[in-house]
């Protein structure tokens, strides 16, 4: 029965959660000339994939002292989040970055130095912002949670050859709908975390996806990120994002040995191309 449930959920994700980024042909973006601004190639084609093996490296403090760096770097593609660095942490998190998912805070808050920081150069960037659930793009454009649009336009002009995409809000809210449809309790209507978004993105472009420290290992800690000193359990279990439910769902569909989960904090998912429904 468990196997059947797992398959059902994987198929729901494969069939209902199609990767969708802004193409610039949607209003109000079309009228503003975004079709020329957004990369011509869709994300799936811009990357050198499809990749055979992929790693998703979550930013949890628990990855410290894991010595997983080498294993992580051995994947064909590596996904990281927001301002998570590799420099100085190579032994635990590796140093290869293929794709970086960033939320709109990174692009709007000057502290992140989005335009100058090397973290956001020489990688494929995928940005998102918690748009209103209504899916009204005009409303969203007028008042995003954090203004990612200005920084996007500037960055596209500065470095037109860098693959850089904004996720379509429908992709995010559709993922939230799938989450809710599989959880008996009411999930609070806030967008999924970058981690959950990233896992689904990698399932769309990879044959297998190894996910590190999304489901906590035995090293689990209140340390929020491996790269700073801030402690808060909400980072791992969620407050704003429905992180706890995301983790339950991912745990249900992954394959893993108990030992690998405990010692590595690693779980594995098949890419959509490997799932027959
Ligand atoms: O912390 P954040 O996420 O950048 O982490 C990326 C993803 O890793 C998983 N994670 C992280 C820490 C932890 N202890 N356990 C985890 O499982 C989560 O899946 C998380 O999504 C975000 O999702 O974008 C988030 O961004 C930060 C922050 O905006 C950025 O780091 C930029 O500084 C948010 N923190 C705050 O707003 C204070 C966080 O809530 C979500």
């Amino acid at each position: 029965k468990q196997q059947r449930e797992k398959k059902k959920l994987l198929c729901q994700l494969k069939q209902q959660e199609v990767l969708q980024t802004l193409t610039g042909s949607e209003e109000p973006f079309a009228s503003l000339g975004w079709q020329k601004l957004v990369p011509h190639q869709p994300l799936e084609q811009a990357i050198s994939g499809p990749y055979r093996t992929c790693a998703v490296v979550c930013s949890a403090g628990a990855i410290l002292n894991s010595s997983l760096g080498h294993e992580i770097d051995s994947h064909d593609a590596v996904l990281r989040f927001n301002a998570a660095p590799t420099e100085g942490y190579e032994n635990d998190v590796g140093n290869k970055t293929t794709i970086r998912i960033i939320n709109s805070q990174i692009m709007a808050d000057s502290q992140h130095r989005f335009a100058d920081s090397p973290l956001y150069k020489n990688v494929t960037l995928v940005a998102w912002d918690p748009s209103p659930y209504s899916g009204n793009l005009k409303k969203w454009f007028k008042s995003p949670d954090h203004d990612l649009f200005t920084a996007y336009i500037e960055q596209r002009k500065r470095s037109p050859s860098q693959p850089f995409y904004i996720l379509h809000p429908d992709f995010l809210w559709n993922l939230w709908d799938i989450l809710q449809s599989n959880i008996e309790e009411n999930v609070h209507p806030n967008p999924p975390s970058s981690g959950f978004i990233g896992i689904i993105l990698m399932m769309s472009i990879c044959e297998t996806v190894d996910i590190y420290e999304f489901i906590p290992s035995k090293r689990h800690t209140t340390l929020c990120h491996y790269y700073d000193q801030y402690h808060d359990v909400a980072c791992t279990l969620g407050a704003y994002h429905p992180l706890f439910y995301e983790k339950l769902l991912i745990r249900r569909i992954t394959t893993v040995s108990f030992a690998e989960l405990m010692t590595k904090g690693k779980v594995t998912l098949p890419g959509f191309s490997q799932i027959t429904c």
Side-chain angles (χ1 to χ4, degrees), residues 125-138:
L125 288 178
V126 178
W128 68 274
D129 175 76
S131 63
Y133 184 81
S134 69
N136 184 326
L137 297 181
K138 281 191 183 132

Side-chain angles (χ1 to χ4, degrees), residues 59-60 82 103 105 112 193-195 214 224-225 235-236 241 247:
S59 306
N82 295 319
N103 67 37
Q105 274 181 42
H112 290 295
S193 74
S194 293
F214 188 64
C224 184
H225 295 132
C235 294
T236 304
H241 297 292
K247 292 185 185 207

Side-chain angles (χ1 to χ4, degrees), residues 6 56 58 60 62-66 68 71 199 209-221 236 246-269:
K6 194 187 255 184
V56 173
C58 291
I63 205 161
L64 278 181
N65 301 319
S66 66
L68 283 166
E71 173 175 326
I199 291 167
V209 185
D210 289 330
I211 305 158
Y212 295 92
E213 283 299 347
F214 188 64
I215 312 295
S217 69
K218 66 174 181 195
R219 291 180 303 269
H220 70 89
T221 158
T236 304
E246 297 172 6
K247 292 185 185 207
L248 282 181
L249 194 79
I250 291 297
R251 182 63 191 98
R252 266 202 249 157
I253 54 178
T254 40
T255 45
V256 67
S257 71
F258 187 66
E260 270 208 318
L261 179 54
M262 282 296 116
T263 58
K264 294 188 178 172
K266 169 182 164 183
V267 293
T268 302
L269 275 173

Side-chain angles (χ1 to χ4, degrees), residues 104-120:
S104 49
Q105 274 181 42
I106 296 286
M107 296 168 69
D109 294 355
S110 54
Q111 67 174 97
H112 290 295
R113 298 183 302 113
F114 175 67
D116 319 311
S117 167
L119 285 176
Y120 312 109

Side-chain angles (χ1 to χ4, degrees), residues 34-52:
W34 275 51
Q35 260 162 314
K36 285 208 185 88
L37 191 77
V38 173
H40 295 306
Q41 281 184 317
L43 172 59
E44 301 90 311
Q45 286 169 27
I47 52 166
S48 52
Y51 301 110
R52 204 172 57 77

Side-chain angles (χ1 to χ4, degrees), residues 13-265:
L13 283 168
K14 174 178 169 148
Q15 288 162 345
Q16 293 177 22
E17 190 57 2
V18 178
L19 186 58
Q20 201 186 351
T21 57
L22 291 183
T23 63
S25 61
E26 327 64 3
E27 289 300 343
F29 303 101
S31 304
L32 296 163
W34 275 51
Q35 260 162 314
K36 285 208 185 88
L37 191 77
V38 173
H40 295 306
Q41 281 184 317
L43 172 59
E44 301 90 311
Q45 286 169 27
I47 52 166
S48 52
Y51 301 110
R52 204 172 57 77
T53 61
C54 294
V56 173
V57 185
C58 291
S59 306
I63 205 161
L64 278 181
N65 301 319
S66 66
S67 297
L68 283 166
H70 187 68
E71 173 175 326
I72 289 170
D73 280 347
S74 73
H75 292 78
D76 297 334
V78 178
L79 175 76
R80 301 186 193 274
F81 298 101
N82 295 319
T86 53
E87 207 185 323
Y89 302 94
E90 292 87 348
N91 190 50
D92 294 328
V93 305
N95 67 15
K96 179 176 184 170
T97 306
T98 318
I99 306 180
R100 194 175 277 278
I101 296 206
I102 51 178
N103 67 37
S104 49
Q105 274 181 42
I106 296 286
M107 296 168 69
D109 294 355
S110 54
Q111 67 174 97
H112 290 295
R113 298 183 302 113
F114 175 67
D116 319 311
S117 167
L119 285 176
Y120 312 109
K121 294 190 173 40
N122 301 318
V123 292
T124 295
L125 288 178
V126 178
W128 68 274
D129 175 76
S131 63
Y133 184 81
S134 69
N136 184 326
L137 297 181
K138 281 191 183 132
K139 255 199 202 157
W140 178 44
F141 183 72
K142 265 201 204 135
S143 57
D145 227 35
H146 300 270
D147 177 20
L148 73 169
F149 300 118
T150 311
Y152 182 74
I153 296 170
E154 283 167 4
Q155 179 76 4
R156 287 298 302 147
K157 290 187 175 154
R158 209 170 21 237
S159 100
S161 61
Q162 179 179 32
F164 186 6
Y165 300 86
I166 296 179
L167 287 171
H168 196 296
D170 287 353
F171 178 78
L172 304 177
W173 288 115
N174 192 28
L175 184 56
W176 185 91
D177 285 339
I178 296 175
L179 181 66
Q180 176 65 89
S181 73
N182 284 286
I183 301 284
E184 276 175 30
E185 290 158 66
N186 287 331
V187 179
H188 46 291
N190 288 335
S193 74
S194 293
F196 194 39
I197 295 168
I199 291 167
I200 306 299
L201 172 81
M202 292 312 252
M203 288 176 85
S204 314
I205 58 173
C206 306
E207 287 179 18
T208 69
V209 185
D210 289 330
I211 305 158
Y212 295 92
E213 283 299 347
F214 188 64
I215 312 295
S217 69
K218 66 174 181 195
R219 291 180 303 269
H220 70 89
T221 158
T222 56
L223 183 65
C224 184
H225 295 132
Y226 64 83
Y227 53 88
D228 64 29
Q229 282 308 314
Y230 173 66
H231 284 260
D232 185 353
V233 277
C235 294
T236 304
L237 290 178
Y240 173 73
H241 297 292
L243 200 53
F244 177 72
Y245 297 114
E246 297 172 6
K247 292 185 185 207
L248 282 181
L249 194 79
I250 291 297
R251 182 63 191 98
R252 266 202 249 157
I253 54 178
T254 40
T255 45
V256 67
S257 71
F258 187 66
E260 270 208 318
L261 179 54
M262 282 296 116
T263 58
K264 294 188 178 172

